[in-house]
Amino acid sequence: MMPKVSVVIPAYRCGDTLCQAIDSALAQNVPLEILIVDDCPEAPVEEAVKKYQGNPAVQYFQNHKNLGAAGSRNRAVALAKAPYVAFLDGDDYWR
């Protein structure tokens, strides 16, 4: 099924809160894809995403150098497949 919403999550030093952000997006009642861009990777962020390896909706990308939140968002938007884009920070969540 084609996603209706691409959820863009820039992640930088948020390994302890990233799962809550991902889970809150997955709880929405809409077909979506989640594009996580790890901005200058650190182990805790990558470790948090491993929990979702079997879920095709969750996609993980690493920047080779720090691009900042805007650069990471732009990268994810360029990869998005859905007609709508929603932004969610790695240290935030949706109700």
Side-chain angles (χ1 to χ4, degrees):
M1 175 181 255
M2 188 70 163
K4 291 187 178 185
V5 178
S6 294
V7 180
V8 171
I9 302 179
Y12 182 75
R13 295 184 179 172
C14 62
D16 56 336
T17 58
L18 186 58
C19 288
Q20 183 178 16
I22 295 169
D23 289 341
S24 75
L26 289 171
Q28 304 305 308
N29 192 21
V30 62
L32 51 77
E33 66 176 351
I34 300 172
L35 305 166
I36 302 158
V37 179
D38 193 349
D39 195 24
C40 210
E42 294 182 8
V45 172
E46 187 173 7
E47 286 299 315
V49 176
K50 284 182 181 179
K51 172 183 172 183
Y52 304 94
Q53 276 183 329
N55 189 332
V58 180
Q59 301 171 45
Y60 176 72
F61 305 93
Q62 292 179 336
N63 291 338
H64 295 292
K65 66 177 187 173
N66 189 286
L67 301 177
S72 295
R73 285 186 187 102
N74 288 340
R75 180 177 180 199
V77 168
L79 296 166
K81 296 179 186 94
Y84 300 101
V85 175
F87 297 103
L88 177 62
D89 289 334
D91 63 351
D92 203 357
Y93 65 93
W94 291 337
R95 290 186 175 184

